[in-house]
Amino acid sequence: MYDYKNNEAIEKVLIDSETIENRVKEIARDIDRDFADKRLVMVGILKGSFIFFGDLVRNLTIPAEIEFMKVSSYGSGTVSFGEIKVSLDIGREDLSECDLLVVEDIIDSGKTLSKLVPHLAKRARSVKTCTLLDKPERREVDFSTDYCGFTIPDEFVVGYGLDYDEKYRTLPDVCILSPKVYL
Ligand code: PRP
């Protein structure tokens, strides 16, 4: 177990690594079952999903292809749809025979996925979504994810890929950040 005693930025562990590992295996079994007859392309949304994505794909037993995207609701990007900017797109043009599973670390306001999914649905045979964490209290647009690891309260969480100001992504557990850090 990671030692947080000397890390004043971390208030407490919300979901420990063993619990995450077990849930990731369950989700992988669901994906194995649901995509058995499909052409699965896993699409990781950078950067927050990178650890979840890696763990999830390693637990799949069906064949899967891998792509990445980087999107943000601000800043500069090459393609823009709605309020979302795409700074790294899927690295192939033709997705017409692909069944995409978009993998996110967290769904918060829902803006990112609610804009991204219709955009990808125009290009692919099908699009589903998988998020490790869901914060329903923060939702601003109506969107629900097809696969979800954990529903969490409205706390600022870091670790297992999630950051605050680019820090804490490498922590093994999902942790609540101390308000001292951001207030
Ligand atoms: C986070 C997360 C989602 C998005 C969710 O990304 O990874 O992409 O915000 O929020 P929403 O539901 O309110 O749209 P972030 O912009 O923090 O980038 P990162 O993944 O690189 O940390």
Side-chain angles (χ1 to χ4, degrees):
M1 176 100 176
Y2 187 90
D3 183 5
Y4 293 96
K5 274 203 283 294
N6 296 318
N7 194 338
E8 290 190 353
I10 301 306
E11 189 156 284
K12 70 168 191 167
V13 171
L14 183 65
I15 311 168
D16 66 51
S17 57
E18 193 184 338
T19 305
I20 297 170
E21 189 183 331
N22 291 334
R23 185 72 187 112
V24 168
K25 285 181 180 156
E26 289 176 356
I27 299 170
R29 291 293 77 76
D30 291 344
I31 296 168
D32 276 347
R33 180 197 61 217
D34 297 346
F35 286 83
D37 301 328
K38 301 193 186 298
R39 181 173 166 193
L40 173 60
V41 179
M42 301 284 287
V43 182
I45 307 301
L46 298 171
K47 299 178 196 171
S49 75
F50 80 108
I51 294 179
F52 176 45
F53 188 83
D55 285 349
L56 191 58
V57 299
R58 282 188 298 175
N59 277 286
L60 296 175
T61 62
I62 60 169
E65 298 164 43
I66 301 303
E67 294 285 355
F68 292 99
M69 292 185 82
K70 186 157 172 51
V71 299
S72 66
S73 48
Y74 56 86
S76 60
T78 50
V79 184
S80 154
F81 43 99
E83 297 148 41
I84 302 294
K85 309 263 189 232
V86 178
S87 52
L88 174 71
D89 202 354
I90 293 176
R92 63 179 100 172
E93 282 299 317
D94 186 8
L95 296 168
S96 58
E97 293 181 1
C98 297
D99 300 296
L100 308 187
L101 182 59
V102 176
V103 180
E104 272 278 28
D105 52 343
I106 189 164
I107 177 167
D108 196 331
S109 72
K111 287 181 181 171
T112 305
L113 284 176
S114 69
K115 298 282 184 193
L116 182 60
V117 168
H119 165 77
L120 291 174
K122 289 183 197 154
R123 298 170 63 186
R125 182 163 58 195
S126 68
V127 184
K128 292 204 178 293
T129 59
C130 175
T131 68
L132 176 71
L133 305 173
D134 185 356
K135 261 190 204 176
E137 286 168 52
R138 296 268 301 175
R139 203 73 93 249
E140 292 176 32
V141 293
D142 187 23
F143 191 91
S144 54
T145 184
D146 298 292
Y147 304 88
C148 172
F150 304 93
T151 299
I152 62 167
D154 184 14
E155 300 276 4
F156 202 125
V157 286
V158 295
Y160 197 70
L162 291 99
D163 76 312
Y164 172 71
D165 199 17
E166 293 304 330
K167 293 191 274 288
Y168 316 116
R169 290 194 199 273
T170 58
L171 298 176
D173 311 283
V174 172
C175 303
I176 297 178
L177 189 66
S178 167
K180 282 184 280 189
V181 177
Y182 56 88
L183 289 182

